[in-house]
Amino acid sequence: MTNIKKRIRKLFKRVITTIPFILLANFAQAKPQPAHADLLLRLNRHYYCLYREGLRNLQCELTFGYWEDLKSVASRKFGPNDPRTKGLDQVKFALSYLPPGLWKFNVTPYHRVGDKKFDAKALDLIRGFQNLMRVFTLGWGGMVSNPLFNPENIEKHHCTVDQTAEGFKVSQRWKDSKGKPIRFTLMFDKGEKCTRGDFAFGGYAYSLKPVWEDYPRGWVLKSFEVDVPAQKVREYFDMEYQSPDGLRLPESFSFHEKSWDGKPGPNKTRFEVIFSNHKVNQ
């Protein structure tokens, strides 16, 4: 159990650093000038969008590999009827969605069992899951649940489109509510597929490399990696999909990271999150 705790602590220390970066969903909805409206609307049509496909609400259950590991360790060490084991069994995880892009991670309360060390481990793990799902819902959710560029705002904000050797890039710059500058650039190849995103705000700088899956209704985010230079870490999200009610929804994703100092280092850790029992538009 001690080894699991150490792995979780290292993992989510890294995960938390990515949360501001994955505000791509909000950045991509900034408001370009009318001169580029046709291009940005065309880009929207290339990418699979759950809202466009009819998703209005969603509920599903989540299973975290690390939580299942902890339950197995507790059952072997304390027995299946021990309060510590039962306390873990009673915790359930779920994900819900309401438009526009409102994803919510839900967890039933963990009731302390009187073992301070064990309770602290369980609560730390739950907090780590909350942080991870915040990253996931802002990142994957922002790129798949809504249009890449918000049609309602598409004629109200400045942007630039410049040609590159590979294709073109869309750049935007503005200030947040506190007057601090925000900058982002999305790179596209000549086939209008997004190949990279660069973001800077509040003293942070991040880069995203998406991998897209071909699908009849538009490109779907298959995986993405995040470079965080200040932390010398590269983080990876890998998706698997299923299609309940004809919608492209997650079946699972795995998360792992590599440290780097100019070159990728060894894998640090990996685990899986499984989605099940989807209830769509109910």
Side-chain angles (χ1 to χ4, degrees):
M1 197 173 303
T2 300
N3 289 336
I4 292 176
K5 176 63 177 300
K6 288 181 179 179
R7 291 162 63 197
I8 289 297
R9 181 173 293 173
K10 289 180 181 179
L11 170 66
F12 288 111
K13 183 178 180 181
R14 298 298 190 188
V15 169
I16 291 171
T17 67
T18 69
I19 292 174
F21 163 77
I22 306 294
L23 292 175
L24 170 64
N26 292 329
F27 292 174
Q29 293 183 14
K31 309 163 190 177
Q33 288 183 344
H36 305 304
D38 289 344
L39 169 64
L40 300 183
L41 287 172
R42 186 172 75 245
L43 291 175
N44 280 350
R45 291 192 290 270
H46 289 322
Y47 296 87
Y48 185 81
C49 173
L50 283 168
Y51 186 80
R52 187 177 64 218
E53 295 300 315
L55 181 66
R56 295 299 178 264
N57 61 74
L58 170 70
Q59 291 183 335
C60 63
E61 299 174 9
L62 300 176
T63 302
F64 291 87
Y66 271 148
W67 192 257
E68 297 304 306
D69 290 345
L70 184 60
K71 287 164 61 176
S72 296
V73 171
S75 182
R76 290 195 303 268
K77 185 174 182 179
F78 307 119
N81 295 319
D82 187 271
R84 286 163 289 199
T85 306
K86 288 185 175 181
L88 298 177
D89 285 334
Q90 292 172 358
V91 178
K92 306 298 180 185
F93 304 99
L95 183 68
S96 61
Y97 165 82
L98 289 173
L102 301 177
W103 294 91
K104 183 179 179 182
F105 174 61
N106 304 289
V107 53
T108 57
Y110 171 80
H111 299 288
R112 297 174 185 269
V113 296
D115 183 329
K116 292 183 179 180
K117 188 175 180 180
F118 186 88
D119 288 338
K121 290 178 180 179
L123 291 170
D124 279 352
L125 196 55
I126 291 172
R127 283 190 288 269
F129 293 157
Q130 290 170 331
N131 289 326
L132 177 67
M133 293 308 297
R134 188 177 297 117
V135 172
F136 175 77
T137 55
L138 289 174
W140 175 87
M143 297 191 78
V144 178
S145 62
N146 296 324
L148 194 62
F149 297 95
N150 189 341
E152 295 181 0
N153 297 334
I154 213 161
E155 296 186 358
K156 299 178 182 178
H157 200 285
H158 175 71
C159 79
T160 60
V161 178
D162 299 296
Q163 298 299 310
T164 66
E166 296 77 19
F168 62 95
K169 62 181 180 180
V170 179
S171 302
Q172 293 187 341
R173 180 188 301 228
W174 68 99
K175 294 183 179 180
D176 64 15
S177 59
K178 296 182 180 180
K180 295 182 179 180
I182 297 173
R183 299 187 304 276
F184 88 93
T185 299
L186 296 180
M187 309 293 294
F188 296 84
D189 64 18
K190 294 178 181 179
E192 300 187 344
K193 185 173 288 187
C194 182
T195 58
R196 181 184 174 95
D198 294 318
F199 307 85
F201 69 102
Y204 297 96
Y206 307 90
S207 296
L208 168 95
K209 280 185 164 183
V211 175
W212 302 97
E213 177 184 69
D214 290 332
Y215 192 67
R217 301 290 295 172
W219 293 318
V220 179
L221 192 64
K222 176 64 174 176
S223 64
F224 57 96
E225 62 184 64
V226 179
D227 276 349
V228 189
Q231 301 295 328
K232 295 184 178 180
V233 66
R234 180 168 293 148
E235 299 177 331
Y236 300 81
F237 292 79
D238 299 294
M239 300 294 307
E240 295 293 339
Y241 286 95
Q242 55 187 309
S243 300
D245 295 330
L247 295 172
R248 202 70 169 149
L249 294 171
E251 179 177 336
S252 66
F253 77 84
S254 63
F255 174 89
H256 70 283
E257 65 175 14
K258 296 179 181 180
S259 63
W260 61 279
D261 190 3
K263 295 181 180 180
N267 285 345
K268 288 293 186 180
T269 189
R270 176 190 291 271
F271 77 96
E272 187 176 38
V273 180
I274 298 173
F275 300 70
S276 60
N277 296 328
H278 293 74
K279 295 181 180 179
V280 178
N281 295 339
Q282 296 183 11

